[in-house]
Amino acid sequence: ASELAADLARFLEGEALRARRTGWPVLAARGIRRHPWVTLAATTLMLAAGFLVYVAAGRQVSEALRSRWVAEAAGAGAEGRWQDALAGYERALALYSSDTGLRGRKDEAARRIAEERERLTRQKDRAEAAVVYKEFVREMHMLRLRTYQPGWRLREHEFAEYERIERDAQAQMEKTGPAGDGWWVVGRVRQVLGKPEAALEAFDRGSAAEPGHGLCLVYKARLLLDQAIISFGMATSEQR
């Protein structure tokens, strides 16, 4: 009261007042002391609202990232870059692991990668097998050169060499799959060894493995023509 009276006297005399407006921290502290439960409820509501805003913002960010990663993965898949597509789907699934659609896309990308690896492996195996078949052809050519010598007859060791080439060609196809060149080698060996029916079977299997395989078609036609000529010759001899 004395401070109020002093301030009133100073006011009447035109002097500066010493009293100051109460600051908001003091007012807030007084309000908290007077209404503790209201303050607690208001604080709880503010925290809950802040948390909900944080969660909503986080979901928006996650959804934006997911959409971007899925779009990038789909674009990579359309271009055949399945490794990049798989990585994108895996990142998106890290945010939404329960998304069955994304999981299906990821499995599709993994399947395409496995198919591509298998295709490259088959391509490599075929390239290696082609080299092996060329070596078989070279060996047969060296054996065939002897047939041009006067008085040549197929000797036992040469017969065994032809049989080995046939076995090796079939073993190579068991490793790398049926091939036109492989069956052509088998057919030629059987033809040289006097097994025309078995040779025709080999040429047919070569054409089935690689439709339109030129050597199999040509040598099958030649063998059929030879058989027809022989049959015609035998029929003419019988008539005489």
Side-chain angles (χ1 to χ4, degrees):
S2 60
E3 292 179 358
L4 177 59
D7 262 349
L8 287 174
R10 282 190 288 271
F11 175 74
L12 293 174
E13 293 177 0
E15 298 178 2
L17 302 179
R18 293 184 179 180
R20 295 288 183 270
R21 181 178 304 210
T22 304
W24 68 267
V26 176
L27 295 175
R30 290 176 183 174
I32 291 173
R33 284 196 300 269
R34 291 174 185 172
H35 308 286
W37 293 108
V38 175
T39 302
L40 179 61
T43 303
T44 303
L45 288 175
M46 290 175 63
L47 291 174
F51 178 75
L52 291 175
V53 170
Y54 173 78
V55 171
R59 287 188 64 84
Q60 288 182 350
V61 172
S62 298
E63 184 62 30
L65 287 174
R66 173 188 175 278
S67 299
R68 191 187 77 183
W69 288 338
V70 169
E72 291 176 352
E79 295 175 2
R81 295 182 289 110
W82 291 108
Q83 195 68 47
D84 294 336
L86 178 62
Y89 290 133
E90 286 178 344
R91 286 197 299 267
L93 278 171
L95 296 176
Y96 295 91
S97 58
S98 60
D99 192 326
T100 55
L102 276 180
R103 193 167 297 281
R105 294 185 186 184
K106 174 197 168 186
D107 294 342
E108 172 68 12
R111 184 181 66 81
R112 292 296 186 95
I113 291 173
E115 288 178 353
E116 181 65 14
R117 288 175 179 169
E118 184 178 355
R119 185 188 68 80
L120 292 175
T121 300
R122 288 198 305 268
Q123 185 177 3
K124 179 182 177 183
D125 290 342
R126 284 197 297 268
E128 294 176 352
V131 175
V132 175
Y133 297 139
K134 286 181 180 179
E135 179 61 23
F136 292 154
V137 172
R138 188 191 67 79
E139 292 180 14
M140 284 195 301
H141 181 66
M142 297 301 296
L143 288 171
R144 290 285 292 171
L145 286 178
R146 301 172 190 172
T147 64
Y148 299 107
Q149 299 175 1
W152 175 86
R153 295 183 62 184
L154 186 64
R155 296 176 175 81
E156 184 176 350
H157 72 277
E158 293 172 336
F159 191 90
E161 280 294 306
Y162 276 115
E163 287 188 326
R164 178 193 60 78
I165 292 173
E166 179 183 1
R167 287 195 305 271
D168 290 348
Q170 289 180 316
Q172 181 64 40
M173 286 190 288
E174 288 179 1
K175 290 170 52 180
T176 58
D181 288 345
W183 282 114
W184 177 79
V185 169
V186 172
R188 284 293 292 143
V189 168
R190 292 174 178 177
Q191 188 177 5
V192 172
L193 297 182
K195 304 175 183 178
E197 297 302 324
L200 286 174
E201 178 191 359
F203 294 144
D204 285 337
R205 296 183 72 172
S207 298
E210 295 183 36
H213 190 272
L215 287 174
C216 287
L217 294 175
V218 169
Y219 276 82
K220 176 184 177 181
R222 288 179 57 181
L223 184 55
L224 290 173
L225 181 61
D226 290 343
Q227 288 181 325
I229 292 173
I230 293 173
S231 298
F232 178 77
M234 292 177 61
T236 303
S237 299
E238 289 176 359
Q239 290 177 357
R240 291 179 180 177

